[in-house]
Amino acid sequence: MKFRPEEVLFSPTTRCNLACPHCDIIRAKKKLPAPIAIGFLTDCKRRGIDRVGFTGGEPFLALDFLCAVTKRAVALGMYFNRMMTNGVWFRNTKDLEHSLNKLKNAGYDGSICVSVDAFHRQSIKKLIQFIRKVSGLWNRRNMVTIAYVAGARACETQKKVRRILSVFPGLRTYKIGLSPVGKAAHLLDPWNGKWFKEDYCRGPGNTFFVMPDGSVKPCCGYANENEELTIGNIRRDSVKKLLLNLKKNRLAFTIFNSGLSAIRKRLEKHGFRFPGKTSDHCYFCYYIIENVPKTLLKTCLD
């Protein structure tokens, strides 16, 4: 099997202090208990998975979870990838300093990636304060990175990014393709005339994406919105069981072993016609789940 999870990506909460117009995350009261996450993390380490990341919602709104899991990851000798944040979650300077100190003292030393673009309606002043505090506390110029979505409202996005870089010229930036799904469906035409390059989902990453309810997806793309790609739940399933479940999930198994291109060709052979070609494989995955008749998709997967 080509699925090789290299990271555990925890989404401990769907809570967020922002309401971005392109975000489809459903706000819910479910929170991932730290003891359950720690047990799963320990199992992951035993199985050779040695990297941890955090996302949300806004992960800083689950600070106790972050610190508890961070301490366990340090004790296990695991590495941190990155933490995604909007950078303006704090109420005041005291709140910011308390939270950052608590996270640093827990042992977190991965990067902190701030989402900055036309869709994230943050105060630039608060963003600058956040970046300055993080860089100073960890004494690392490369501690903070900037991620922004591309493909829509690019001029507004670049204006915000340039403003941040004028204060912190050394920050690294990452471009993330904006897939037009859900609230973002009207922002651009995904059918751009070119088929995606097959990479067996290495792009979004081979990962255990753990949701606030404990459910696990095999990548960090749009799998988090699709129940068809759920491969288990850490409340009841071990790493070994999750891998066995993925083998039984015909869609996930085919994506990671035959590829999305193979599914596309089988669908076309059975008479299904796509609106065009798309270079966005995450969007394509989302599209076939949402638009291909279930019986036809099952036939092609079998």
PDB file of all heavy atoms in Angstrom, residues 39-75:
ATOM      1  N   GLY A  39      -2.647   9.365  23.813  1.00  0.00           N
ATOM      2  CA  GLY A  39      -2.581   7.918  23.635  1.00  0.00           C
ATOM      3  C   GLY A  39      -2.353   7.541  22.182  1.00  0.00           C
ATOM      4  O   GLY A  39      -1.543   6.651  21.874  1.00  0.00           O
ATOM      5  N   PHE A  40      -3.051   8.226  21.298  1.00  0.00           N
ATOM      6  CA  PHE A  40      -2.884   7.958  19.874  1.00  0.00           C
ATOM      7  C   PHE A  40      -1.491   8.358  19.405  1.00  0.00           C
ATOM      8  O   PHE A  40      -0.855   7.659  18.607  1.00  0.00           O
ATOM      9  CB  PHE A  40      -3.952   8.721  19.084  1.00  0.00           C
ATOM     10  CG  PHE A  40      -3.868   8.507  17.600  1.00  0.00           C
ATOM     11  CD1 PHE A  40      -4.128   7.265  17.047  1.00  0.00           C
ATOM     12  CD2 PHE A  40      -3.524   9.560  16.757  1.00  0.00           C
ATOM     13  CE1 PHE A  40      -4.049   7.064  15.674  1.00  0.00           C
ATOM     14  CE2 PHE A  40      -3.451   9.372  15.394  1.00  0.00           C
ATOM     15  CZ  PHE A  40      -3.710   8.128  14.841  1.00  0.00           C
ATOM     16  N   LEU A  41      -1.002   9.495  19.903  1.00  0.00           N
ATOM     17  CA  LEU A  41       0.331   9.974  19.543  1.00  0.00           C
ATOM     18  C   LEU A  41       1.394   8.952  19.933  1.00  0.00           C
ATOM     19  O   LEU A  41       2.336   8.684  19.173  1.00  0.00           O
ATOM     20  CB  LEU A  41       0.593  11.310  20.240  1.00  0.00           C
ATOM     21  CG  LEU A  41       1.771  12.143  19.740  1.00  0.00           C
ATOM     22  CD1 LEU A  41       1.496  12.675  18.354  1.00  0.00           C
ATOM     23  CD2 LEU A  41       2.029  13.302  20.692  1.00  0.00           C
ATOM     24  N   THR A  42       1.252   8.368  21.107  1.00  0.00           N
ATOM     25  CA  THR A  42       2.196   7.359  21.578  1.00  0.00           C
ATOM     26  C   THR A  42       2.191   6.152  20.662  1.00  0.00           C
ATOM     27  O   THR A  42       3.249   5.603  20.322  1.00  0.00           O
ATOM     28  CB  THR A  42       1.847   6.946  23.020  1.00  0.00           C
ATOM     29  OG1 THR A  42       1.805   8.117  23.852  1.00  0.00           O
ATOM     30  CG2 THR A  42       2.864   5.964  23.571  1.00  0.00           C
ATOM     31  N   ASP A  43       1.012   5.750  20.221  1.00  0.00           N
ATOM     32  CA  ASP A  43       0.886   4.631  19.292  1.00  0.00           C
ATOM     33  C   ASP A  43       1.546   4.976  17.953  1.00  0.00           C
ATOM     34  O   ASP A  43       2.226   4.139  17.346  1.00  0.00           O
ATOM     35  CB  ASP A  43      -0.597   4.295  19.090  1.00  0.00           C
ATOM     36  CG  ASP A  43      -0.812   2.997  18.333  1.00  0.00           C
ATOM     37  OD1 ASP A  43       0.122   2.174  18.272  1.00  0.00           O
ATOM     38  OD2 ASP A  43      -1.917   2.809  17.784  1.00  0.00           O
ATOM     39  N   CYS A  44       1.364   6.216  17.490  1.00  0.00           N
ATOM     40  CA  CYS A  44       1.976   6.658  16.230  1.00  0.00           C
ATOM     41  C   CYS A  44       3.497   6.561  16.310  1.00  0.00           C
ATOM     42  O   CYS A  44       4.156   6.102  15.372  1.00  0.00           O
ATOM     43  CB  CYS A  44       1.569   8.094  15.917  1.00  0.00           C
ATOM     44  SG  CYS A  44      -0.123   8.268  15.331  1.00  0.00           S
ATOM     45  N   LYS A  45       4.061   7.009  17.429  1.00  0.00           N
ATOM     46  CA  LYS A  45       5.519   6.956  17.598  1.00  0.00           C
ATOM     47  C   LYS A  45       6.016   5.524  17.529  1.00  0.00           C
ATOM     48  O   LYS A  45       7.056   5.234  16.901  1.00  0.00           O
ATOM     49  CB  LYS A  45       5.893   7.611  18.924  1.00  0.00           C
ATOM     50  CG  LYS A  45       7.370   7.543  19.249  1.00  0.00           C
ATOM     51  CD  LYS A  45       8.229   8.275  18.223  1.00  0.00           C
ATOM     52  CE  LYS A  45       9.695   8.245  18.644  1.00  0.00           C
ATOM     53  NZ  LYS A  45      10.568   8.943  17.672  1.00  0.00           N
ATOM     54  N   ARG A  46       5.289   4.612  18.149  1.00  0.00           N
ATOM     55  CA  ARG A  46       5.682   3.194  18.106  1.00  0.00           C
ATOM     56  C   ARG A  46       5.674   2.654  16.686  1.00  0.00           C
ATOM     57  O   ARG A  46       6.431   1.741  16.357  1.00  0.00           O
ATOM     58  CB  ARG A  46       4.741   2.354  18.980  1.00  0.00           C
ATOM     59  CG  ARG A  46       4.976   2.482  20.472  1.00  0.00           C
ATOM     60  CD  ARG A  46       4.308   1.339  21.222  1.00  0.00           C
ATOM     61  NE  ARG A  46       2.861   1.390  21.086  1.00  0.00           N
ATOM     62  CZ  ARG A  46       2.038   1.915  21.984  1.00  0.00           C
ATOM     63  NH1 ARG A  46       2.530   2.445  23.100  1.00  0.00           N
ATOM     64  NH2 ARG A  46       0.739   1.916  21.794  1.00  0.00           N
ATOM     65  N   ARG A  47       4.814   3.235  15.838  1.00  0.00           N
ATOM     66  CA  ARG A  47       4.678   2.780  14.457  1.00  0.00           C
ATOM     67  C   ARG A  47       5.580   3.556  13.494  1.00  0.00           C
ATOM     68  O   ARG A  47       5.458   3.408  12.282  1.00  0.00           O
ATOM     69  CB  ARG A  47       3.215   2.927  14.008  1.00  0.00           C
ATOM     70  CG  ARG A  47       2.237   2.066  14.788  1.00  0.00           C
ATOM     71  CD  ARG A  47       2.306   0.624  14.357  1.00  0.00           C
ATOM     72  NE  ARG A  47       1.443  -0.228  15.174  1.00  0.00           N
ATOM     73  CZ  ARG A  47       1.237  -1.512  14.928  1.00  0.00           C
ATOM     74  NH1 ARG A  47       1.851  -2.088  13.915  1.00  0.00           N
ATOM     75  NH2 ARG A  47       0.457  -2.228  15.715  1.00  0.00           N
ATOM     76  N   GLY A  48       6.458   4.400  14.027  1.00  0.00           N
ATOM     77  CA  GLY A  48       7.418   5.078  13.177  1.00  0.00           C
ATOM     78  C   GLY A  48       6.992   6.430  12.652  1.00  0.00           C
ATOM     79  O   GLY A  48       7.690   7.027  11.822  1.00  0.00           O
ATOM     80  N   ILE A  49       5.851   6.943  13.112  1.00  0.00           N
ATOM     81  CA  ILE A  49       5.403   8.284  12.710  1.00  0.00           C
ATOM     82  C   ILE A  49       5.971   9.273  13.723  1.00  0.00           C
ATOM     83  O   ILE A  49       5.680   9.171  14.918  1.00  0.00           O
ATOM     84  CB  ILE A  49       3.869   8.362  12.672  1.00  0.00           C
ATOM     85  CG1 ILE A  49       3.315   7.286  11.728  1.00  0.00           C
ATOM     86  CG2 ILE A  49       3.402   9.745  12.232  1.00  0.00           C
ATOM     87  CD1 ILE A  49       1.817   7.099  11.832  1.00  0.00           C
ATOM     88  N   ASP A  50       6.778  10.218  13.264  1.00  0.00           N
ATOM     89  CA  ASP A  50       7.518  11.043  14.225  1.00  0.00           C
ATOM     90  C   ASP A  50       7.319  12.541  14.044  1.00  0.00           C
ATOM     91  O   ASP A  50       8.111  13.339  14.535  1.00  0.00           O
ATOM     92  CB  ASP A  50       9.018  10.729  14.130  1.00  0.00           C
ATOM     93  CG  ASP A  50       9.610  11.056  12.769  1.00  0.00           C
ATOM     94  OD1 ASP A  50       8.856  11.490  11.873  1.00  0.00           O
ATOM     95  OD2 ASP A  50      10.840  10.879  12.595  1.00  0.00           O
ATOM     96  N   ARG A  51       6.239  12.941  13.373  1.00  0.00           N
ATOM     97  CA  ARG A  51       6.018  14.365  13.128  1.00  0.00           C
ATOM     98  C   ARG A  51       4.596  14.755  13.555  1.00  0.00           C
ATOM     99  O   ARG A  51       3.655  13.999  13.333  1.00  0.00           O
ATOM    100  CB  ARG A  51       6.229  14.677  11.653  1.00  0.00           C
ATOM    101  CG  ARG A  51       6.413  16.164  11.350  1.00  0.00           C
ATOM    102  CD  ARG A  51       7.001  16.351   9.965  1.00  0.00           C
ATOM    103  NE  ARG A  51       8.342  15.821   9.873  1.00  0.00           N
ATOM    104  CZ  ARG A  51       9.437  16.493  10.178  1.00  0.00           C
ATOM    105  NH1 ARG A  51       9.346  17.736  10.613  1.00  0.00           N
ATOM    106  NH2 ARG A  51      10.624  15.943  10.042  1.00  0.00           N
ATOM    107  N   VAL A  52       4.473  15.944  14.159  1.00  0.00           N
ATOM    108  CA  VAL A  52       3.193  16.411  14.690  1.00  0.00           C
ATOM    109  C   VAL A  52       2.913  17.829  14.181  1.00  0.00           C
ATOM    110  O   VAL A  52       3.821  18.648  14.081  1.00  0.00           O
ATOM    111  CB  VAL A  52       3.204  16.446  16.235  1.00  0.00           C
ATOM    112  CG1 VAL A  52       1.813  16.750  16.780  1.00  0.00           C
ATOM    113  CG2 VAL A  52       3.740  15.150  16.802  1.00  0.00           C
ATOM    114  N   GLY A  53       1.649  18.108  13.869  1.00  0.00           N
ATOM    115  CA  GLY A  53       1.243  19.457  13.480  1.00  0.00           C
ATOM    116  C   GLY A  53      -0.115  19.784  14.083  1.00  0.00           C
ATOM    117  O   GLY A  53      -0.826  18.897  14.575  1.00  0.00           O
ATOM    118  N   PHE A  54      -0.474  21.065  14.057  1.00  0.00           N
ATOM    119  CA  PHE A  54      -1.750  21.510  14.624  1.00  0.00           C
ATOM    120  C   PHE A  54      -2.445  22.461  13.647  1.00  0.00           C
ATOM    121  O   PHE A  54      -1.813  23.297  13.015  1.00  0.00           O
ATOM    122  CB  PHE A  54      -1.532  22.243  15.945  1.00  0.00           C
ATOM    123  CG  PHE A  54      -0.854  21.425  17.004  1.00  0.00           C
ATOM    124  CD1 PHE A  54       0.510  21.573  17.248  1.00  0.00           C
ATOM    125  CD2 PHE A  54      -1.554  20.490  17.758  1.00  0.00           C
ATOM    126  CE1 PHE A  54       1.144  20.832  18.227  1.00  0.00           C
ATOM    127  CE2 PHE A  54      -0.922  19.728  18.737  1.00  0.00           C
ATOM    128  CZ  PHE A  54       0.437  19.899  18.974  1.00  0.00           C
ATOM    129  N   THR A  55      -3.757  22.333  13.580  1.00  0.00           N
ATOM    130  CA  THR A  55      -4.561  23.235  12.768  1.00  0.00           C
ATOM    131  C   THR A  55      -5.910  23.416  13.455  1.00  0.00           C
ATOM    132  O   THR A  55      -6.072  23.084  14.606  1.00  0.00           O
ATOM    133  CB  THR A  55      -4.700  22.693  11.319  1.00  0.00           C
ATOM    134  OG1 THR A  55      -5.370  23.646  10.499  1.00  0.00           O
ATOM    135  CG2 THR A  55      -5.449  21.370  11.286  1.00  0.00           C
ATOM    136  N   GLY A  56      -6.893  23.973  12.758  1.00  0.00           N
ATOM    137  CA  GLY A  56      -8.164  24.239  13.417  1.00  0.00           C
ATOM    138  C   GLY A  56      -9.323  24.211  12.450  1.00  0.00           C
ATOM    139  O   GLY A  56      -9.227  23.566  11.416  1.00  0.00           O
ATOM    140  N   GLY A  57     -10.316  25.054  12.715  1.00  0.00           N
ATOM    141  CA  GLY A  57     -10.467  26.105  13.686  1.00  0.00           C
ATOM    142  C   GLY A  57      -9.197  26.918  13.966  1.00  0.00           C
ATOM    143  O   GLY A  57      -8.272  26.948  13.212  1.00  0.00           O
ATOM    144  N   GLU A  58      -9.243  27.570  15.120  1.00  0.00           N
ATOM    145  CA  GLU A  58      -8.080  28.314  15.595  1.00  0.00           C
ATOM    146  C   GLU A  58      -7.466  27.538  16.759  1.00  0.00           C
ATOM    147  O   GLU A  58      -8.039  27.484  17.849  1.00  0.00           O
ATOM    148  CB  GLU A  58      -8.493  29.719  16.034  1.00  0.00           C
ATOM    149  CG  GLU A  58      -7.399  30.509  16.717  1.00  0.00           C
ATOM    150  CD  GLU A  58      -6.094  30.506  15.955  1.00  0.00           C
ATOM    151  OE1 GLU A  58      -6.080  30.943  14.774  1.00  0.00           O
ATOM    152  OE2 GLU A  58      -5.076  30.065  16.523  1.00  0.00           O
ATOM    153  N   PRO A  59      -6.312  26.899  16.524  1.00  0.00           N
ATOM    154  CA  PRO A  59      -5.753  26.012  17.548  1.00  0.00           C
ATOM    155  C   PRO A  59      -5.390  26.706  18.856  1.00  0.00           C
ATOM    156  O   PRO A  59      -5.426  26.074  19.919  1.00  0.00           O
ATOM    157  CB  PRO A  59      -4.507  25.430  16.865  1.00  0.00           C
ATOM    158  CG  PRO A  59      -4.192  26.363  15.744  1.00  0.00           C
ATOM    159  CD  PRO A  59      -5.512  26.901  15.298  1.00  0.00           C
ATOM    160  N   PHE A  60      -5.067  28.005  18.822  1.00  0.00           N
ATOM    161  CA  PHE A  60      -4.732  28.697  20.061  1.00  0.00           C
ATOM    162  C   PHE A  60      -5.934  28.833  20.992  1.00  0.00           C
ATOM    163  O   PHE A  60      -5.764  29.158  22.171  1.00  0.00           O
ATOM    164  CB  PHE A  60      -4.141  30.077  19.760  1.00  0.00           C
ATOM    165  CG  PHE A  60      -2.650  30.056  19.542  1.00  0.00           C
ATOM    166  CD1 PHE A  60      -2.135  30.051  18.264  1.00  0.00           C
ATOM    167  CD2 PHE A  60      -1.776  30.012  20.610  1.00  0.00           C
ATOM    168  CE1 PHE A  60      -0.758  30.020  18.052  1.00  0.00           C
ATOM    169  CE2 PHE A  60      -0.401  29.977  20.417  1.00  0.00           C
ATOM    170  CZ  PHE A  60       0.110  29.987  19.123  1.00  0.00           C
ATOM    171  N   LEU A  61      -7.131  28.573  20.475  1.00  0.00           N
ATOM    172  CA  LEU A  61      -8.317  28.562  21.324  1.00  0.00           C
ATOM    173  C   LEU A  61      -8.465  27.227  22.056  1.00  0.00           C
ATOM    174  O   LEU A  61      -9.426  27.024  22.796  1.00  0.00           O
ATOM    175  CB  LEU A  61      -9.569  28.871  20.499  1.00  0.00           C
ATOM    176  CG  LEU A  61      -9.588  30.257  19.834  1.00  0.00           C
ATOM    177  CD1 LEU A  61     -10.899  30.477  19.087  1.00  0.00           C
ATOM    178  CD2 LEU A  61      -9.366  31.370  20.853  1.00  0.00           C
ATOM    179  N   ALA A  62      -7.520  26.326  21.807  1.00  0.00           N
ATOM    180  CA  ALA A  62      -7.450  25.055  22.547  1.00  0.00           C
ATOM    181  C   ALA A  62      -6.051  24.946  23.144  1.00  0.00           C
ATOM    182  O   ALA A  62      -5.341  23.958  22.958  1.00  0.00           O
ATOM    183  CB  ALA A  62      -7.750  23.884  21.624  1.00  0.00           C
ATOM    184  N   LEU A  63      -5.630  25.983  23.856  1.00  0.00           N
ATOM    185  CA  LEU A  63      -4.255  26.097  24.343  1.00  0.00           C
ATOM    186  C   LEU A  63      -3.853  24.945  25.262  1.00  0.00           C
ATOM    187  O   LEU A  63      -2.734  24.425  25.156  1.00  0.00           O
ATOM    188  CB  LEU A  63      -4.069  27.433  25.060  1.00  0.00           C
ATOM    189  CG  LEU A  63      -2.657  27.719  25.583  1.00  0.00           C
ATOM    190  CD1 LEU A  63      -1.662  27.807  24.448  1.00  0.00           C
ATOM    191  CD2 LEU A  63      -2.654  29.008  26.412  1.00  0.00           C
ATOM    192  N   ASP A  64      -4.724  24.541  26.179  1.00  0.00           N
ATOM    193  CA  ASP A  64      -4.381  23.446  27.094  1.00  0.00           C
ATOM    194  C   ASP A  64      -4.088  22.163  26.314  1.00  0.00           C
ATOM    195  O   ASP A  64      -3.182  21.400  26.666  1.00  0.00           O
ATOM    196  CB  ASP A  64      -5.503  23.217  28.100  1.00  0.00           C
ATOM    197  CG  ASP A  64      -5.593  24.345  29.125  1.00  0.00           C
ATOM    198  OD1 ASP A  64      -4.611  25.104  29.257  1.00  0.00           O
ATOM    199  OD2 ASP A  64      -6.650  24.472  29.777  1.00  0.00           O
ATOM    200  N   PHE A  65      -4.876  21.911  25.266  1.00  0.00           N
ATOM    201  CA  PHE A  65      -4.645  20.745  24.405  1.00  0.00           C
ATOM    202  C   PHE A  65      -3.275  20.853  23.742  1.00  0.00           C
ATOM    203  O   PHE A  65      -2.498  19.891  23.744  1.00  0.00           O
ATOM    204  CB  PHE A  65      -5.740  20.664  23.338  1.00  0.00           C
ATOM    205  CG  PHE A  65      -5.537  19.544  22.345  1.00  0.00           C
ATOM    206  CD1 PHE A  65      -6.168  18.334  22.530  1.00  0.00           C
ATOM    207  CD2 PHE A  65      -4.720  19.707  21.235  1.00  0.00           C
ATOM    208  CE1 PHE A  65      -5.979  17.285  21.620  1.00  0.00           C
ATOM    209  CE2 PHE A  65      -4.528  18.678  20.325  1.00  0.00           C
ATOM    210  CZ  PHE A  65      -5.154  17.463  20.526  1.00  0.00           C
ATOM    211  N   LEU A  66      -2.983  22.014  23.151  1.00  0.00           N
ATOM    212  CA  LEU A  66      -1.699  22.203  22.476  1.00  0.00           C
ATOM    213  C   LEU A  66      -0.533  21.912  23.408  1.00  0.00           C
ATOM    214  O   LEU A  66       0.421  21.217  23.025  1.00  0.00           O
ATOM    215  CB  LEU A  66      -1.579  23.639  21.957  1.00  0.00           C
ATOM    216  CG  LEU A  66      -2.564  24.122  20.892  1.00  0.00           C
ATOM    217  CD1 LEU A  66      -2.218  25.538  20.469  1.00  0.00           C
ATOM    218  CD2 LEU A  66      -2.567  23.188  19.700  1.00  0.00           C
ATOM    219  N   CYS A  67      -0.604  22.433  24.607  1.00  0.00           N
ATOM    220  CA  CYS A  67       0.506  22.283  25.548  1.00  0.00           C
ATOM    221  C   CYS A  67       0.657  20.845  26.024  1.00  0.00           C
ATOM    222  O   CYS A  67       1.775  20.322  26.137  1.00  0.00           O
ATOM    223  CB  CYS A  67       0.321  23.229  26.728  1.00  0.00           C
ATOM    224  SG  CYS A  67       0.454  24.975  26.265  1.00  0.00           S
ATOM    225  N   ALA A  68      -0.463  20.186  26.310  1.00  0.00           N
ATOM    226  CA  ALA A  68      -0.403  18.800  26.784  1.00  0.00           C
ATOM    227  C   ALA A  68       0.165  17.878  25.707  1.00  0.00           C
ATOM    228  O   ALA A  68       1.036  17.033  25.987  1.00  0.00           O
ATOM    229  CB  ALA A  68      -1.798  18.337  27.206  1.00  0.00           C
ATOM    230  N   VAL A  69      -0.314  18.023  24.483  1.00  0.00           N
ATOM    231  CA  VAL A  69       0.162  17.171  23.386  1.00  0.00           C
ATOM    232  C   VAL A  69       1.611  17.509  23.048  1.00  0.00           C
ATOM    233  O   VAL A  69       2.424  16.624  22.743  1.00  0.00           O
ATOM    234  CB  VAL A  69      -0.752  17.324  22.157  1.00  0.00           C
ATOM    235  CG1 VAL A  69      -0.180  16.577  20.953  1.00  0.00           C
ATOM    236  CG2 VAL A  69      -2.153  16.798  22.474  1.00  0.00           C
ATOM    237  N   THR A  70       1.956  18.791  23.097  1.00  0.00           N
ATOM    238  CA  THR A  70       3.339  19.199  22.839  1.00  0.00           C
ATOM    239  C   THR A  70       4.298  18.560  23.833  1.00  0.00           C
ATOM    240  O   THR A  70       5.359  18.032  23.459  1.00  0.00           O
ATOM    241  CB  THR A  70       3.459  20.733  22.898  1.00  0.00           C
ATOM    242  OG1 THR A  70       2.771  21.299  21.775  1.00  0.00           O
ATOM    243  CG2 THR A  70       4.913  21.165  22.856  1.00  0.00           C
ATOM    244  N   LYS A  71       3.947  18.590  25.122  1.00  0.00           N
ATOM    245  CA  LYS A  71       4.810  17.998  26.150  1.00  0.00           C
ATOM    246  C   LYS A  71       5.023  16.507  25.897  1.00  0.00           C
ATOM    247  O   LYS A  71       6.137  15.990  26.042  1.00  0.00           O
ATOM    248  CB  LYS A  71       4.190  18.210  27.537  1.00  0.00           C
ATOM    249  CG  LYS A  71       4.278  19.641  28.044  1.00  0.00           C
ATOM    250  CD  LYS A  71       3.611  19.779  29.409  1.00  0.00           C
ATOM    251  CE  LYS A  71       3.677  21.210  29.912  1.00  0.00           C
ATOM    252  NZ  LYS A  71       3.001  21.374  31.230  1.00  0.00           N
ATOM    253  N   ARG A  72       3.950  15.823  25.511  1.00  0.00           N
ATOM    254  CA  ARG A  72       4.083  14.382  25.240  1.00  0.00           C
ATOM    255  C   ARG A  72       4.931  14.135  23.991  1.00  0.00           C
ATOM    256  O   ARG A  72       5.753  13.205  23.970  1.00  0.00           O
ATOM    257  CB  ARG A  72       2.699  13.756  25.078  1.00  0.00           C
ATOM    258  CG  ARG A  72       2.723  12.249  24.849  1.00  0.00           C
ATOM    259  CD  ARG A  72       3.462  11.521  25.959  1.00  0.00           C
ATOM    260  NE  ARG A  72       3.487  10.078  25.757  1.00  0.00           N
ATOM    261  CZ  ARG A  72       4.320   9.264  26.383  1.00  0.00           C
ATOM    262  NH1 ARG A  72       5.187   9.733  27.254  1.00  0.00           N
ATOM    263  NH2 ARG A  72       4.290   7.967  26.146  1.00  0.00           N
ATOM    264  N   ALA A  73       4.751  14.953  22.972  1.00  0.00           N
ATOM    265  CA  ALA A  73       5.536  14.800  21.741  1.00  0.00           C
ATOM    266  C   ALA A  73       7.024  14.999  22.027  1.00  0.00           C
ATOM    267  O   ALA A  73       7.876  14.269  21.499  1.00  0.00           O
ATOM    268  CB  ALA A  73       5.059  15.796  20.691  1.00  0.00           C
ATOM    269  N   VAL A  74       7.344  15.980  22.857  1.00  0.00           N
ATOM    270  CA  VAL A  74       8.744  16.225  23.237  1.00  0.00           C
ATOM    271  C   VAL A  74       9.294  15.014  23.992  1.00  0.00           C
ATOM    272  O   VAL A  74      10.409  14.554  23.729  1.00  0.00           O
ATOM    273  CB  VAL A  74       8.856  17.501  24.104  1.00  0.00           C
ATOM    274  CG1 VAL A  74      10.259  17.621  24.692  1.00  0.00           C
ATOM    275  CG2 VAL A  74       8.528  18.738  23.265  1.00  0.00           C
ATOM    276  N   ALA A  75       8.517  14.491  24.922  1.00  0.00           N
ATOM    277  CA  ALA A  75       8.950  13.326  25.701  1.00  0.00           C
ATOM    278  C   ALA A  75       9.190  12.103  24.810  1.00  0.00           C
ATOM    279  O   ALA A  75      10.074  11.284  25.086  1.00  0.00           O
ATOM    280  CB  ALA A  75       7.914  12.994  26.776  1.00  0.00           C
TER     281      ALA A  75
END
